[in-house]
Amino acid sequence: MGKIIALANQKGGVGKTTTTINLAASLATLEKSVLVVDADPQANASSGLGVDIREIDCSLYECIINKADVREAIYTTDIEGLDIIPSHIDLVGAEIEMLNLDDRERIISRILAPLQAEYDYILLDCSPSLGLITVNALTAADSVIIPVQCEYFALEGISKLLNTIKIIKSRLNPRLEIEGFLLTMYDSRLRLANQIYDEVKRHFQELVFKTVIQRNVKLSEAPSHGLPAILYDAESTGTKNHLALAKEIINKDIAGRK
């Protein structure tokens, strides 16, 4: 059975989508079969993996609201072994439409159930909110990666997210675990970045990934070309960081099975 990992933080601009795209590409490069589910109406993960969202007929929205066959919503990418279920701006209104549906917190869980055996990893890119779609993603997930930006106010709002995770774990999804806190946009030259790294490490200890995602121009440029960093510049720091993260996750899973 594939592992479902949500990437969530209701704070915007922390690197959720960048991490989703590049972690997925790195896992696929390491010969894992990966599915990205773009659960953010901005659809940045979709365009960042080369999907033209103006030309898609079936997205996550159609699967949720119209009960479309999930396999019709799966698109391939330029990386072998990496597929995506794209998002659409219509997803903005889906939360209101979902209010009348039965068992509305488990809709994404039901959509992904038939796919779990077909992929090693399913990554859910969540929107920067704690709305019903994000609750759905966390209810479907086995674990959650929480990207934390190495900037002032980094820890602001994390307690709210942790409280949401705790509620979902107790009421909707008892298997939900924290995969790890991932420090993003790290610049070792800045004293503030090092202070935040130390603070996050002190607070969350073993839950912090050893891998840190450094500030990197190539990482910022790659999405505008519809490419993950590994295809845009395989030698970039951003590519190396995400490959290290993918290896850390794979090794942790192997150790967990022993």
Side-chain angles (χ1 to χ4, degrees):
M1 288 291 275
K3 184 174 190 178
I4 302 178
I5 304 175
L7 287 94
N9 189 334
Q10 78 273 25
K11 198 171 183 300
V14 297
K16 279 188 298 294
T17 302
T18 302
T19 303
T20 304
I21 291 168
N22 291 292
L23 173 58
S26 298
L27 287 166
T29 303
L30 295 168
E31 299 184 343
K32 300 293 178 185
S33 54
V34 186
L35 175 68
V36 168
V37 180
D38 192 348
D40 183 348
Q42 294 177 70
N44 291 337
S46 306
S47 55
L49 282 170
V51 176
D52 185 344
I53 49 178
R54 293 165 302 184
E55 293 187 2
I56 57 171
D57 299 317
C58 191
S59 68
L60 183 62
Y61 174 83
E62 281 75 25
C63 295
I64 292 173
I65 302 302
N66 303 336
K67 296 192 168 72
D69 180 354
V70 67
R71 285 187 171 78
E72 288 181 17
I74 297 173
Y75 293 76
T76 56
T77 70
D78 290 339
I79 290 188
E80 193 181 342
L82 173 54
D83 296 338
I84 181 165
I85 295 177
S87 181
H88 194 277
I89 191 65
D90 289 349
L91 206 58
V92 169
E95 299 207 342
I96 295 163
E97 295 177 71
M98 288 163 77
L99 291 173
N100 300 322
L101 300 178
D102 293 333
D103 210 9
R104 57 181 183 245
E105 297 86 4
R106 290 191 171 87
I107 295 169
I108 289 179
S109 193
R110 288 198 296 273
I111 289 168
L112 297 180
L115 302 176
Q116 243 189 306
E118 297 172 25
Y119 293 94
D120 296 313
Y121 290 95
I122 297 176
L123 303 184
L124 291 151
D125 185 29
C126 298
S127 67
S129 75
L130 292 177
L132 191 50
I133 303 271
T134 300
V135 168
N136 258 267
L138 293 170
T139 303
D142 298 303
S143 64
V144 55
I145 291 173
I146 302 169
V148 179
Q149 191 179 1
C150 285
E151 290 191 0
Y152 199 63
F153 297 134
L155 296 176
E156 195 180 67
I158 282 186
S159 59
K160 195 174 177 187
L161 175 62
L162 293 177
N163 196 41
T164 302
I165 290 169
K166 194 171 153 189
I167 291 166
I168 288 169
K169 194 174 164 73
S170 65
R171 296 185 192 169
L172 294 164
N173 180 7
R175 72 181 190 285
L176 183 63
E177 299 293 340
I178 292 174
E179 186 75 28
F181 289 85
L182 176 69
L183 286 145
T184 62
M185 305 180 202
Y186 177 74
D187 186 340
S188 58
R189 297 166 303 178
L190 298 178
R191 200 173 84 206
L192 179 65
N194 290 302
Q195 284 173 343
I196 287 161
Y197 179 84
D198 292 340
E199 198 174 338
V200 172
K201 199 84 177 134
R202 192 174 71 246
H203 268 285
F204 303 112
Q205 296 164 356
E206 296 306 307
L207 287 175
V208 182
F209 284 109
K210 291 183 178 70
T211 305
V212 171
I213 309 300
Q214 293 163 272
R215 273 199 183 279
N216 181 238
V217 175
K218 301 290 185 189
L219 209 50
S220 309
E221 290 174 355
S224 65
H225 296 269
L227 296 170
I230 204 160
L231 290 184
Y232 182 64
D233 184 348
E235 293 302 310
S236 68
T237 303
T239 298
K240 290 172 183 170
N241 289 166
H242 285 95
L243 275 168
L245 176 65
K247 286 173 186 167
E248 191 175 340
I249 289 168
I250 291 167
N251 291 337
K252 186 177 163 188
D253 289 341
I254 291 167
R257 285 190 213 111
K258 287 178 181 172

